[in-house]
Amino acid sequence: MTNAELTKETSAASNIRRIAGMDEEGEQLSEINPVSSPLGGAAAKSHSHGAGAGIPDSSRAGRLTSYQVADFPAITGREEDWRFTPLKRLRGLDRLALDGAAPTVEVLKPDAVTIETVGREDARIGSAGIPDDRVSAAAWGAFAEATVITVPANFDGRSEEQVTTVTLTGAGHAPAASHVFVHAKANSDAVVVLDHRGSAVVSENVEILVADGARLTVVSIQDWADGTTHASSQQMKIGRDAKLKHVVVNLGGDLVRINPSARFAGTGGDVEMYGLYFADAGQHFEQRIFVDHSVPNCKSRVTYKGALQGKDAHSVWVGDVLIRKEAEGTDTYEMNRNLILTQGARADSVPNLEIETGLIEGAGHASATGRFDDEQLFYLQARGIPEDVARRLVVRGFLNEIIQQIKVPALEERLRDAVEHELKAGSL
């Protein structure tokens, strides 16, 4: 089987200034859907903090946002946002009181970076995003204290010794809530690692605020023990001429569901979102990405790669990119690749792109799921490399594209070792 036969891609990337059939006002659609329309009436959503405009459920432009869990209906599993998630394995994060102990927090940081434990009344909490699903809103209503990491203005933290590492260790299987706030002030340059370990049933909200001119890398590692359930909403706001690199690594746990959402607050913003996941038998790893281009001349790149092995290993990747009417000059591309290593594993991959203006630099998406490339294996074996070693080399090379984006040598080495451990555990 050739690469062309293995890979199915949908791509709309281009470098043109105008999309055919669209003008400065976007595609010429009919006026807002009347109640009699299939997309009108009850099918349309409103924001809890402002009146909606009849946007259908399928559009991220009309996603309900609220701090109140009561504003979100009970989850049935029929909703687009939850149709892939095994609800029983949420362990009550959507419906029970989240009164268990939150993960403990340990911090290793440079002197200039500050760490605070604050109450929910702190004015900074909520400045980077608003919950947009029931589980996130439940955690918002339940957390008692938040961990705030502040990178000072003009801080230069590019060296490995200047990395801030926040280790969050699960405190047991009672449903719990957690809240983390990361603030990179103007013109700073820093790396923050959120390292999740231990056993937990936890719903987490992470806010990431990148001020004007700042450059921030946030790495969220989910290396949980077996049996852990973790839902994390990670809301990001990127300022003018700021750059955020966001990396998600899913390795351990029973059900891990990460929702990174990036929004631009000023022109010239740049976000790179990377993801790596390695699902073993029975594990469910779900990643739902949202990039909201609402201001002109911003750039986004999304690249997620995953490997799966074992019976009922399941990954879900849903990538939503919205280019609003006012976001002229947008340049965006999203891609997901999945490598199926054994029978019985399943990967669901859904790229979505909404465009409301034709005056953009480029927009596109791609998705591919398949098994080993026979030509690559043949090439390696023809040079005397045994088949089992050749297979491991292919997987390492496939995932290393994501690992090498972190730019922290010790952390990259740890992740390469973790991939090697997964390969040995799967007898590959």
Side-chain angles (χ1 to χ4, degrees):
M1 181 181 291
T2 66
N3 280 333
E5 293 169 328
L6 172 65
T7 304
K8 291 183 178 180
E9 294 189 348
T10 57
S11 179
S14 65
N15 292 315
I16 60 174
R17 292 293 298 177
R18 185 183 297 274
I19 291 179
M22 304 182 73
D23 59 19
E24 295 87 341
E25 302 300 319
E27 188 175 359
Q28 298 303 301
L29 302 174
S30 60
E31 59 185 82
I32 296 299
N33 301 301
V35 173
S36 59
S37 164
L39 297 181
K45 281 190 175 180
S46 314
H47 294 276
S48 64
H49 59 286
I55 304 297
D57 286 352
S58 60
S59 172
R60 287 303 298 257
R63 180 66 61 92
L64 171 67
T65 57
S66 174
Y67 299 108
Q68 305 298 322
V69 66
D71 289 338
F72 295 90
I75 300 171
T76 66
R78 293 187 295 271
E79 303 87 353
E80 172 60 32
D81 204 30
W82 295 98
R83 65 188 178 100
F84 292 112
T85 308
L87 296 184
K88 289 183 178 180
R89 292 164 67 180
L90 273 177
R91 307 279 290 278
L93 292 178
D94 59 325
R95 53 186 173 77
L96 299 180
L98 307 184
D99 51 10
T104 61
V105 178
E106 297 180 9
V107 180
L108 180 64
K109 67 176 186 66
D111 292 340
V113 174
T114 61
I115 303 291
E116 304 168 76
T117 300
V118 304
R120 56 184 306 114
E121 71 282 353
D122 190 283
R124 291 167 291 186
I125 304 301
S127 59
I130 305 172
D132 61 3
D133 67 45
R134 182 179 175 87
V135 172
S136 175
W140 194 284
F143 82 94
E145 295 178 330
T147 299
V148 176
I149 303 109
T150 304
V151 180
N154 302 308
F155 174 75
D156 186 353
R158 285 172 290 184
S159 66
E160 188 168 9
E161 295 75 19
Q162 299 293 322
V163 172
T164 297
T165 300
V166 182
T167 302
L168 300 107
T169 304
H173 288 131
S178 177
H179 201 105
V180 177
F181 187 97
V182 181
H183 184 190
K185 292 193 173 182
N187 302 311
S188 60
D189 192 336
V191 178
V192 175
V193 179
L194 305 178
D195 193 357
H196 300 87
R197 301 168 177 244
S199 297
V201 175
V202 61
S203 180
E204 171 190 58
N205 283 304
V206 177
E207 297 184 69
I208 301 170
L209 184 60
V210 188
D212 294 350
R215 300 174 67 87
L216 176 67
T217 296
V218 175
V219 184
S220 180
I221 303 174
Q222 286 63 241
D223 198 6
W224 295 107
D226 294 342
T228 292
T229 295
H230 179 208
S232 180
S233 174
Q234 306 197 3
Q235 302 272 358
M236 300 163 255
K237 183 183 288 186
I238 300 99
R240 178 176 52 82
D241 296 326
K243 181 170 183 177
L244 172 65
K245 180 186 290 186
H246 184 264
V247 186
V248 172
V249 179
N250 288 335
L251 297 171
D254 175 54
L255 181 149
V256 177
R257 189 178 195 268
I258 311 295
N259 292 356
S261 298
R263 295 173 172 84
F264 294 97
T267 60
D270 188 336
V271 63
E272 297 177 5
M273 302 171 73
Y274 296 96
L276 179 154
Y277 46 97
F278 202 131
D280 288 321
Q283 287 183 312
H284 178 94
F285 291 157
E286 186 164 345
Q287 298 94 173
R288 288 179 171 268
I289 295 89
F290 178 41
V291 182
D292 186 352
H293 284 273
S294 59
V295 296
N297 302 316
C298 291
K299 179 180 178 180
S300 65
R301 291 291 184 270
V302 178
T303 305
Y304 272 60
K305 285 189 168 188
L308 301 92
Q309 64 184 6
K311 187 177 184 299
D312 295 327
H314 188 198
S315 71
V316 176
W317 179 88
V318 178
D320 289 322
V321 176
L322 170 62
I323 304 174
R324 297 182 186 266
K325 173 183 174 181
E326 57 270 27
E328 297 179 2
T330 290
D331 182 4
T332 181
Y333 195 86
E334 61 174 345
M335 179 179 70
N336 178 227
R337 297 280 189 271
N338 297 288
L339 187 58
I340 305 295
L341 305 180
T342 65
Q343 295 289 333
R346 171 181 170 179
D348 289 291
S349 180
V350 186
N352 298 307
L353 181 60
E354 295 182 70
I355 305 175
E356 296 177 354
T357 177
L359 298 179
I360 62 174
E361 291 295 326
H365 55 210
S367 171
T369 299
R371 61 181 184 85
F372 283 106
D373 187 323
D374 290 338
E375 287 188 349
Q376 288 181 340
L377 292 177
F378 177 79
Y379 178 87
L380 293 171
Q381 289 179 262
R383 281 147 183 80
I385 299 175
E387 182 179 359
D388 60 336
V389 177
R391 288 177 177 273
R392 291 186 184 185
L393 286 173
V394 171
V395 177
R396 290 190 201 111
F398 176 74
L399 296 177
N400 194 58
E401 178 187 357
I402 305 300
I403 294 174
Q404 66 187 4
Q405 294 296 331
I406 295 173
K407 309 300 183 186
V408 180
L411 185 52
E412 290 183 2
E413 184 64 25
R414 171 188 163 186
L415 295 180
R416 280 191 286 267
D417 289 345
V419 169
E420 186 65 24
H421 175 77
E422 297 281 357
L423 292 172
K424 290 180 179 178
S427 301
L428 190 67

